[in-house]
C-alpha cells in the first residue's frame, strides 16, 4: 500500500526560517522481514525463541508515527538467580530494524522499560527478553499509524 | 502525495454534507485541541517530567537570566521574576502596541525587547531561543483564561483576522471555517479535525518532533489547502492569530501543549 | 541544553523506584536527504547509562528509531542514600550528564 506509507523520515520539519535544513526528497530504504530476522539473530544467535513472559504495551492505533509511546515488561522475580539481563526491541519496516537494547539486572527490581519510538508505517514491533539462564522470550504487536493532516511536506 | 490525498478526502466530506453558513462556536461548546487527542498524547502533555515541551521551558528559563547584547542586560534585569511579572501576559497576546499602532505577537514582543532594550542580534522566527523564551513566558500563564482581543484598539485587527478566517483560499478553495467551525469532530484521513483553539502555543507537535509557534501551525494549514502561506510576522498572520485567540476567549492556556 | 530527570527524593530501603529521563536531542536519523540530494548525516544519541553511587544499574543502546528528545523510564531498587548519575553519549562526540540525589531510610 504505497499510498499510505508515512513519510517518517521528514522529521524535524521543512521550515527554514531558523536555518534548519530543508528536507524534500525522502525515499527511505525500507527494512525487510529478512533484515528484521537478521537483526534478531544477531542478538539471539542460534537459540530458540519462546513466546510469552514478555508484555509489549503500545497503542494499536497511533496519532503520529514520529513519537509512539511504548512499554516493555517481563514477568520475572529479578533476583540474582532469576532475572532479565536485557530487552531488545525491533521493527519491521523502518529503514533499520533495531529500535533499542536495554540492559538490566537484579538491581533493577522490576523488568520494565518505557520509551518513545518512530514508526515509519503501519507495521509489526517485536520485543525480545534475554533471561539470566540465557533463554529468549518474545512478543510481537501490530501498530497502525495514522497520517497527520496538513503537514508541511507539500511546501 | 499524502497531504493531497488527505485534503481530497476533506473536500468529499464537505460536498456530501453541504456546508452551512459559517457559524461561530458558542462559548460553552469551545474545546481545546486537548479534548480531541488520544489518551497517550494527553498523558504526554499532562506530566511535566515527560512533556518534551518542558525542555524548551527550561532552556527559556536559563535564557531569561542571561545577560546579552551591547546593553549587557538580561530579561530578568528589567522584568524580575517571571513567575509574577509574566503571569497572564501570554493570555492577552497578540496585544495592541501604541507606538507601532498595530498588534504584536508574543514572539514579536520578545524580538522588540531584544532589539530595543538589550541591543542584541535579532532572533529569527522559529529559532530555538525564541521558542524557548516564548514557551517560558507563556508557561507562566498556564491555567489563565485567554483574554486577547478584549482591548478596543485591537478590534479592527480582530475583524481583519475574522475576514481572513472566513475567506476561501488555495487550490482546494477552503476557508479555515469550513474545517474548524463546520466540520470539527469529523476526521481528515484519520486525524480528528479540531476547533483550532490556540490554547497551547508554542507547543510540541509530534509531527514536527519539536516545539513550534502558532504561526508555524497556521502555515501548515495553509499549505494543506494548497494556498500560499503568509510570511512569518506578516500583518495577515498576526491578525489571524489575534482572531483565533479572541475566538478562544475564556479557554485556559496550556503552554507547552502537546499535539499530534 | 536541558534534561528533565524524575527520581523520587525519598524512598524506603528496598522500594522499587521508577526513574524517568527526558533529554533534548534532534535524533537525526541519517536516512534523510536535502533538496539537492545530499544525505543529512546521522546525529543521534547512541547510548545512555545510569549509575547509582557509581555502579551501573541501567544501560541502553539507542538507534535512529528512538524519537527526538529521547525519553526513558526504568526501575531500580532503593538501597542506600546517594546519587544517581546519568550520561548520554552520541555521534560527533556528543556527551551530556545530569545527576539527582535520593535519601533512603
Amino acid at each position: 500500500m504505497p499510498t499510505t506509507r508515512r513519510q517518517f523520515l521528514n522529521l524535524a520539519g521543512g521550515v527554514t526560517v531558523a536555518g534548519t535544513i530543508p528536507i524534500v526528497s525522502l525515499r527511505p530504504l525500507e527494512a525487510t522481514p529478512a533484515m528484521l530476522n537478521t537483526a534478531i539473530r544477531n542478538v539471539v544467535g542460534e537459540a530458540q525463541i519462546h513466546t510469552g513472559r514478555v508484555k509489549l504495551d503500545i497503542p494499536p492505533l497511533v496519532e503520529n508515527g514520529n513519537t509512539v509511546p511504548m512499554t516493555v515488561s517481563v514477568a520475572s522475580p529479578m533476583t540474582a538467580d532469576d532475572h532479565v539481563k536485557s530487552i531488545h526491541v525491533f521493527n519491521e519496516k523502518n529503514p533499520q530494524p533495531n529500535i533499542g537494547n536495554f540492559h538490566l539486572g537484579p538491581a533493577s527490581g522490576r523488568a520494565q522499560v518505557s520509551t518513545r519510538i518512530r514508526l515509519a508505517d503501519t507495521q509489526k514491533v517485536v520485543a525480545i527478553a534475554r533471561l539470566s539462564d540465557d533463554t529468549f522470550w518474545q512478543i510481537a504487536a501490530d501498530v497502525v499509524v495514522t497520517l497527520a493532516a496538513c503537514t508541511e511536506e507539500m511546501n | 502525495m499524502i497531504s493531497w490525498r488527505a485534503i481530497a478526502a476533506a473536500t468529499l466530506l464537505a460536498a456530501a454534507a453541504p456546508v452551512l453558513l459559517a457559524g461561530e462556536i458558542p462559548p460553552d461548546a469551545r474545546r481545546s485541541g486537548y479534548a480531541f487527542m488520544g489518551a497517550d498524547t494527553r498523558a504526554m502533555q499532562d506530566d511535566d517530567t515527560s512533556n518534551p515541551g518542558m525542555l524548551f521551558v527550561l532552556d527559556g528559563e536559563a535564557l531569561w537570566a542571561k545577560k546579552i547584547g551591547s546593553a549587557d542586560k538580561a530579561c530578568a534585569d528589567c522584568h524580575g521574576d517571571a513567575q509574577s511579572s509574566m503571569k497572564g501576559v501570554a493570555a492577552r497576546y497578540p496585544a495592541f502596541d501604541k507606538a507601532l499602532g498595530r498588534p504584536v505577537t508574543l514572539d514579536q514582543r520578545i524580538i522588540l525587547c531584544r532589539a530595543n532594550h538589550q541591543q542584541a542580534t535579532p532572533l529569527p522566527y522559529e529559532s530555538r531561543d525564541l521558542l524557548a523564551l516564548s514557551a517560558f513566558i507563556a508557561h507562566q500563564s498556564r491555567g489563565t483564561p485567554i483574554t486577547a482581543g478584549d482591548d478596543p484598539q485591537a478590534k479592527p485587527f480582530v475583524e481583519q483576522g475574522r475576514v481572513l478566517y472566513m475567506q476561501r483560499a488555495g487550490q482546494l478553495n477552503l476557508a479555515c471555517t469550513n474545517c474548524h467551525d463546520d466540520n470539527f469532530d469529523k476526521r481528515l484521513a484519520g486525524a480528528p479535525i479540531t476547533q483550532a483553539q490556540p490554547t497551547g502555543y508554542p507547543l510540541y507537535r509530534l509531527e514536527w518532533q519539536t516545539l513550534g509557534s502558532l504561526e508555524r501551525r497556521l502555515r501548515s494549514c495553509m499549505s494543506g489547502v494548497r494556498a500560499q502561506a503568509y510570511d512569518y510576522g506578516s500583518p495577515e498572520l498576526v491578525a489571524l492569530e489575534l482572531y483565533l485567540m479572541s475566538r478562544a476567549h475564556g479557554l485556559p492556556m496550556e503552554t507547552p501543549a502537546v499535539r499530534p | 541544553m536541558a534534561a528533565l530527570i524524575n527520581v523520587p527524593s525519598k524512598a524506603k530501603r528496598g522500594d522499587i523506584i521508577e526513574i524517568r529521563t527526558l533529554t533534548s536531542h534532534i535524533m537525526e536519523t541519517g536516512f534523510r536527504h536535502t533538496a539537492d540530494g545530499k544525505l543529512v548525516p546521522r546525529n543521534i544519541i547512541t547510548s545512555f547509562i545510569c549509575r547509582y553511587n557509581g555502579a551501573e544499574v541501567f544501560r541502553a543502546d539507542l538507534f535512529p528509531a528512538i524519537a527526538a528528545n529521547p525519553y526513558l523510564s526504568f526501575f531500580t531498587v532503593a538501597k542506600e542514600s546517594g546519587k544517581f548519575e546519568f550520561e548520554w553519549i552520541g555521534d560527533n562526540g556528543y556527551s551530556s550528564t545530569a545527576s539527582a540525589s535520593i535519601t533512603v531510610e
Side-chain angles (χ1 to χ4, degrees):
Chain A
M1 292 208 310
T3 41
T4 61
R5 182 166 170 68
R6 246 183 81 24
Q7 294 176 325
F8 140 87
L9 293 168
N10 189 30
L11 299 173
V15 172
T16 51
V17 186
T20 47
I21 317 160
I23 309 282
V24 291
S25 85
L26 8 100
R27 193 55 236 157
L29 322 158
E30 194 174 290
T32 60
M35 283 164 75
L36 171 62
N37 206 40
T38 310
I40 291 175
R41 284 296 153 199
N42 281 342
V43 169
V44 307
E46 294 304 304
Q48 192 196 339
I49 309 171
H50 309 274
T51 305
R53 292 187 75 154
V54 187
K55 194 165 157 253
L56 175 57
D57 266 317
I58 190 162
L61 176 77
V62 302
E63 289 182 310
N64 193 291
N66 285 343
T67 316
V68 182
M70 174 203 85
T71 297
V72 185
S73 50
V74 188
S76 164
M78 295 305 273
T79 58
D81 316 332
D82 184 2
H83 59 265
V84 176
K85 279 198 201 162
S86 56
I87 293 171
H88 307 265
V89 186
F90 306 92
N91 72 87
E92 198 182 11
K93 288 192 188 161
N94 286 359
Q96 189 180 10
N98 299 78
I99 292 179
N101 301 323
F102 308 96
H103 306 273
L104 11 170
S108 301
R110 182 183 304 171
Q112 179 176 325
V113 290
S114 306
T115 188
R116 295 173 185 154
I117 67 171
R118 293 168 168 157
L119 292 176
D121 199 353
T122 293
Q123 60 177 294
K124 188 158 72 178
V125 174
V126 180
I128 296 182
R130 174 188 207 136
L131 305 196
S132 46
D133 62 3
D134 286 327
T135 56
F136 291 90
W137 298 78
Q138 79 162 1
I139 181 131
D142 289 303
V143 183
V144 175
V145 177
T146 313
L147 315 177
C150 305
T151 60
E152 290 154 356
E153 287 147 21
M154 303 309 294
N155 285 347
Chain B
M1 294 322 294
I2 283 154
S3 315
W4 179 243
R5 236 172 63 95
I7 303 294
T11 345
L12 284 179
L13 160 163
V19 177
L20 303 171
L21 218 71
E24 297 210 318
I25 302 167
D28 58 355
R30 290 175 191 160
R31 274 182 291 147
S32 152
Y34 179 89
F36 296 79
M37 314 196 294
D40 295 300
T41 318
R42 285 187 195 193
M44 219 180 280
Q45 171 171 330
D46 288 344
D47 174 11
D48 276 351
T49 59
S50 68
N51 178 340
M54 287 304 291
L55 293 169
F56 293 78
V57 171
L58 283 182
D59 284 345
E61 187 174 15
L63 290 169
W64 180 259
K66 197 168 143 191
K67 291 188 191 297
I68 53 151
S70 40
D72 196 31
K73 282 214 155 61
C75 318
D77 290 338
C78 294
H79 294 293
D81 181 0
Q83 246 177 30
S84 47
S85 71
M86 291 293 139
K87 190 173 166 49
V89 169
R92 51 180 173 75
Y93 268 75
F96 187 79
D97 182 288
K98 284 204 174 61
L100 297 171
R102 58 175 168 84
V104 295
T105 63
L106 184 59
D107 285 357
Q108 290 175 325
R109 171 59 69 209
I110 297 169
I111 291 170
L112 285 167
C113 264
R114 277 196 47 122
N116 301 339
H117 300 305
Q118 294 181 305
Q119 277 115 50
T121 49
L123 287 174
Y125 287 107
E126 290 317 286
S127 60
R128 189 172 176 104
D129 283 3
L130 183 58
L131 289 169
L133 280 166
S134 69
F136 173 64
I137 292 172
H139 184 59
Q140 311 306 323
S141 296
R142 187 147 77 169
T144 307
I146 292 173
T147 55
D150 281 3
D151 179 354
Q153 290 173 288
K155 291 292 181 216
F157 300 92
V158 175
E159 185 51 30
Q160 182 197 356
R162 205 183 73 86
V163 169
L164 294 170
Y165 184 85
M166 300 297 171
Q167 203 170 73
R168 286 178 182 270
Q171 287 176 32
L172 301 180
N173 199 29
L174 283 171
C176 317
T177 186
N178 296 140
C179 282
H180 293 298
D181 291 329
D182 303 338
N183 284 302
F184 67 81
D185 276 335
K186 299 210 176 88
R187 285 182 168 265
L188 189 60
I193 301 178
T194 68
Q195 295 181 351
Q197 307 289 5
T199 46
Y201 288 85
L203 59 70
Y204 194 91
R205 192 172 176 214
L206 303 186
E207 173 63 22
W208 297 332
Q209 301 197 64
T210 187
L211 206 75
S213 70
L214 178 55
E215 297 202 353
R216 180 172 180 188
R217 189 65 187 86
L218 301 190
R219 285 168 52 91
S220 353
C221 270
M222 286 177 221
S223 40
V225 298
R226 303 185 74 77
Q228 180 64 43
Y230 302 120
D231 288 338
Y232 279 95
S234 65
E236 291 88 353
L237 218 44
V238 175
L240 258 178
E241 197 170 326
L242 179 58
Y243 170 67
L244 285 176
M245 285 292 276
S246 73
R247 183 173 163 272
H249 189 276
L251 286 179
M253 294 282 294
E254 293 165 46
T255 312
V258 177
R259 296 286 181 269
Chain C
M1 271 194 251
L4 273 163
I5 308 291
N6 188 352
V7 173
S9 54
K10 268 189 191 160
K12 282 211 209 55
R13 193 176 311 278
D15 277 0
I16 297 172
I17 56 169
E18 184 183 10
I19 296 179
R20 287 198 294 249
T21 66
L22 184 63
T23 193
S24 298
H25 200 286
I26 177 170
M27 296 295 283
E28 180 64 54
T29 62
F31 296 110
R32 302 198 302 165
H33 292 84
T34 59
D36 49 3
K38 283 203 206 72
L39 193 69
V40 183
R42 193 184 86 166
N43 178 16
I44 66 166
I45 291 177
T46 49
S47 108
F48 167 81
I49 302 142
C50 170
R51 295 186 187 88
Y52 184 6
N53 287 341
E56 178 183 306
V57 291
F58 179 79
R59 182 163 52 89
D61 314 320
L62 309 183
F63 294 86
I66 297 291
N69 303 309
Y71 170 81
L72 283 168
S73 139
F74 50 93
F75 291 82
T76 196
V77 180
K79 55 179 205 296
E80 63 202 16
S81 297
K83 202 159 104 176
F84 286 99
E85 286 165 298
F86 306 94
E87 188 178 4
W88 295 263
I89 298 167
D91 294 333
N92 312 317
Y94 179 88
S95 161
S96 73
T97 56
S99 65
S101 51
I102 185 168
T103 307
V104 175
E105 286 150 0

